[in-house]
Structure formats: C-alpha cells, structure tokens
Amino acid sequence: MSRNRELISRIGLRLDGRRANELRRIRCKMGVFSQPDGSAYIEQGLTKVLAAVYGPHQVRNRQKAQHDTCIINTQFSMAVFSTNERKRRPRGDRKSIELSIHLQQALQAVIETDLYPWSQIDVYVEVLHADGGIYAACVNAATLAIIDAGIPIKEYVCACTASLANGEVPMLDVSHQEEMLGGPTLTVAALPMSGKVVLMEMSQRFHLDHLPKVLKTALEGCKDIKEILDEAVKGHVKEMGSATGWANTTS
C-alpha cells in the first residue's frame, strides 16, 4: 500500500468507519492495581496503556533532592508483545527515553510540585498494545493515575493526535494504519481548561497553511478527551464512596 492515499471516502468515512473529527472509542479505569499509590488503564481504539504512580516519597538519591519542589520521575516502556515487530530492547532505547522525557514535561506542567519539597513521584507507563497515538494514550493514562494517587494537580493534562486526510481535511486521533498511509502527524499535549499547549511534536513538517487547522483539531480532541477522563474520575469517586459507605445516606 502506498502513502498519501485517500483516507476519507466520498461519504466522509475513514478506514475504520469514523468521521474526520471523531475520536476512537476510549475506555478507562482507575485503581486497577492495589500496590501503587495510583494506577489507571486506558484504551484508545486498539492502543492499550497501563500507568502506575508511586509517591510522593523520599528521594532515593538525596543529592538530587530539591528544597522547594518535587522531582517527577517518569519511565515509558512497551511490552514485547505490543507490536507485530519483535523488540529486543523493550526498555531503555532511544524512543523510550524520549517519550519518558516528554511525559515528564506534560506532568510537570500540572502537578503541584511545590507542595512536596524533598520528595519524588515515580510514574511508570507501559504500552500493552500499540495502534497509533501512543504518547497521547500514555499522557491520558498517567493523568488518571496521578488523580487516583490523590496528588493535587492544577488541571487535567490531555493529549491527542491530528493529521490531514486527502491532503486538506483535518483528521482527529490518528490510528497506526492512518499514520502509515497518510501524511504528517501532529501530537499535542495541552491543558484544555486554560488552552495552554504543553508539548507539540510533528512526525514531519506541515505546510504553514495547514498547521493552524490541524493544531485546532488536536486541541478540540484534547477537550473531548478531558470530558471523558472527567467522567471516569467522577465514576471512580462515586464507586469508591459507595464501597466505603460515605456516599450512603440514612433516612
């Protein structure tokens, strides 16, 4: 199959049946593990990610401790079975290190680090299955895990991808197949409530005429994802309240 083929049909449907501005189905769950302080699982289409949070806790290397802020330590990894390609180094390769740094940047923008001086928060994300939008799914899963750990944040940080279909139509939440067949992909991590962009990365350069509308599409996707994550948080809080009995009322 060749790149740059038509990704949207004459009736406006993509290869997987979605509209151009439609997200893949998102499923998420908080508190999936009991050992970490916070955890979450998310599915965005066929991309599946687990996130675990430990801390805040004392910094292991006291020489790196900061008197006025908390250290955010992030680690990205992919399961050896997450792609069709056999991986010899599922951790520690260049891509994993780069994504770990980008994840740290996104979380650093929202965590109230000044509340935990001399402390450290560890965030681990693992991709169980990769089908496009890996970094975006990791950011969204990490956000839920941070909230599950009870760590104060300024607001949600969400991430989404966008691209161009048929050379001119903005396309939201790009799958792996669309990444391979289409043009450049833009990945955006943002704070939807304030509209601040935390990270923006392009797989290839966009023409200046196209970049604004692709960026707008990605930001709209971040807002939609924020609403989905917020509903998951509300559902989790309600479930936990029912389990502990504090949400029950007596007549």
Side-chain angles (χ1 to χ4, degrees):
M1 293 183 290
S2 61
R3 292 180 63 92
N4 298 320
R5 57 170 285 188
E6 288 196 355
L7 298 179
I8 298 182
S9 68
R10 295 180 179 178
I11 59 174
L13 298 180
R14 294 156 68 170
L15 300 176
D16 57 6
R18 289 183 290 153
R19 299 286 181 179
N21 61 347
E22 187 177 350
L23 290 169
R24 291 176 292 178
R25 182 177 61 176
I26 296 179
R27 292 180 174 179
C28 45
K29 183 174 178 60
M30 301 169 65
V32 293
F33 297 122
S34 58
Q35 295 88 349
D37 296 295
S39 59
Y41 169 76
I42 195 167
E43 293 181 5
Q44 290 190 221
L46 297 178
T47 296
K48 304 175 183 180
V49 176
L50 278 171
V53 173
Y54 296 86
H57 57 78
Q58 185 176 2
V59 179
R60 295 186 178 90
N61 186 345
R62 294 187 62 85
Q63 294 180 345
K64 295 183 178 180
Q66 302 291 324
H67 73 281
D68 59 349
T69 190
C70 177
I71 296 174
I72 309 297
N73 173 52
T74 54
Q75 179 175 300
F76 167 90
S77 61
M78 295 184 66
V80 293
F81 50 79
S82 60
T83 66
N84 293 328
E85 300 176 1
R86 183 177 180 182
K87 292 176 63 66
R88 294 183 179 181
R89 299 181 61 192
R91 295 178 176 85
D93 59 341
R94 182 176 178 179
K95 180 180 179 181
S96 297
I97 294 173
E98 180 180 325
L99 288 175
S100 296
I101 294 173
H102 289 171
L103 179 62
Q104 181 187 47
Q105 292 174 346
L107 298 179
Q108 195 85 38
V110 294
I111 294 177
E112 299 279 8
T113 55
D114 58 324
L115 298 179
Y116 304 104
W118 307 104
S119 301
Q120 176 175 324
I121 297 173
D122 299 316
V123 182
Y124 301 92
V125 294
E126 180 151 18
V127 178
L128 303 181
H129 191 269
D131 187 43
I134 294 174
Y135 172 75
C138 288
V139 170
N140 300 331
T143 296
L144 290 178
I146 288 288
I147 295 173
D148 185 48
I151 298 173
I153 57 175
K154 300 170 185 176
E155 62 172 286
Y156 286 75
V157 57
C158 304
C160 192
T161 59
S163 184
L164 282 177
N166 304 356
E168 59 180 2
V169 182
M171 183 171 60
L172 182 66
D173 194 11
V174 186
S175 68
H176 177 68
Q177 185 181 26
E178 290 170 334
E179 288 177 348
M180 294 296 101
L181 298 177
T185 298
L186 176 68
T187 302
V188 174
L191 312 183
M193 294 177 64
S194 62
K196 180 181 178 182
V197 175
V198 177
L199 181 139
M200 186 170 65
E201 185 180 38
M202 294 179 285
S203 63
Q204 301 174 42
R205 291 182 180 180
F206 279 91
H207 192 282
L208 287 178
D209 292 340
H210 297 315
L211 182 58
K213 60 184 180 182
V214 176
L215 175 59
K216 180 181 178 182
T217 298
L219 290 174
E220 289 296 328
C222 290
K223 292 180 181 179
D224 293 340
I225 290 172
K226 185 263 179 185
E227 296 299 323
I228 295 172
L229 299 188
D230 196 40
E231 286 299 317
V233 172
K234 291 177 181 177
H236 179 68
V237 171
K238 184 177 180 180
E239 180 182 345
M240 293 299 293
S242 299
T244 56
W246 68 263
N248 297 330
T249 58
T250 57
S251 56

